[in-house]
Amino acid sequence: MSSENILICTNCGETAKSERRRYRYLESGISNLYLQGTEVAECLRCGESHVIIPRIAKLHRAIALALANSPARLTGEQLRFLRKHLSMSGEQLGRYLHTDKTKISKWESGDDPIGPSTDRLIRLLVAALDGELRPGVTAIAEHLPQIRDESGKVWELQVDVATLQSTFVSVSRAA
Ligand SMILES: [Zn+2]
């Protein structure tokens, strides 16, 4: 399924044709996050590529909800995404988790692993503090016993930009 639109390149003014494709959403700060059906236009004259992401607030909420239901332990970059989604500083989040911003920063950078209890508390905080995710808090709580804490498995999060449906896919990393 492909729909095409004509866009004007903001760099050179040439027209650029867009197409929908899978887009690695590195701007989110999460390495293994892909947006399905993202409109991307590449300018044929200057090579500038334009990524069109509509309804970004809704998309970020869908990503936050997906992360709260992640099958695996939260990673540092996922924690950073969630903290930013809640518009909290490291210091503010530290107050909820009875720790300080240095510890939060170590979790986010991957210097320290996020403990299993902290991981679960963060998910509940996200659901409790984002008013629109609050109706999902029971489902998130019920998911907590199913989180698998083993390391070694790499998960990829895929979010469809049109439907905002999300899927975690286990990907094997070459040894
Ligand atoms: Zn151009």
Side-chain angles (χ1 to χ4, degrees):
M1 196 177 68
S2 76
S3 65
E4 284 191 341
N5 280 314
I6 303 294
L7 289 132
I8 305 297
C9 173
T10 51
N11 191 44
C12 73
E14 181 65 278
T15 53
K17 243 185 208 173
S18 77
E19 55 175 28
R20 296 200 175 268
R21 59 166 99 134
R22 178 178 145 97
Y23 175 71
R24 189 175 192 184
Y25 190 28
L26 289 172
E27 295 88 339
S28 65
I30 300 171
S31 334
N32 290 322
L33 171 56
Y34 293 84
L35 302 181
Q36 316 275 37
T38 310
E39 193 176 355
V40 182
E42 242 167 72
C43 176
L44 295 174
R45 188 198 278 169
C46 75
E48 180 89 349
S49 94
H50 305 267
V51 179
I52 298 112
I53 299 173
R55 302 184 299 159
I56 204 149
K58 278 201 164 121
L59 173 67
H60 281 203
R61 180 163 286 117
I63 294 168
L65 179 63
L67 294 176
N69 285 296
S70 164
R73 182 85 61 87
L74 291 172
T75 65
E77 51 190 33
Q78 292 173 342
L79 169 62
R80 182 180 288 128
F81 179 92
L82 291 172
R83 176 176 61 74
K84 288 184 177 171
H85 178 69
L86 294 175
S87 307
M88 271 193 203
S89 65
E91 199 175 339
Q92 286 169 319
L93 182 61
R95 270 184 233 131
Y96 282 89
L97 300 173
H98 195 71
T99 186
D100 56 32
K101 64 176 182 192
T102 310
K103 188 70 180 171
I104 303 279
S105 161
K106 282 184 175 174
W107 283 333
E108 291 184 356
S109 63
D111 287 346
D112 280 356
I114 300 166
S117 303
T118 306
D119 170 304
R120 285 150 178 83
L121 180 52
I122 289 163
R123 295 173 195 239
L124 291 175
L125 274 179
V126 169
L129 298 178
D130 177 335
E132 291 194 42
L133 291 183
R134 213 166 290 148
V137 73
T138 307
I140 291 167
E142 284 169 353
H143 170 70
L144 297 182
Q146 287 145 45
I147 300 167
R148 300 157 70 120
D149 283 296
E150 85 253 27
S151 54
K153 227 175 192 181
V154 179
W155 294 88
E156 192 175 284
L157 174 57
Q158 300 174 351
V159 182
D160 186 302
V161 291
T163 63
L164 299 180
Q165 291 295 309
S166 60
T167 325
F168 277 94
V169 178
S170 173
V171 289
S172 50
R173 178 168 278 179

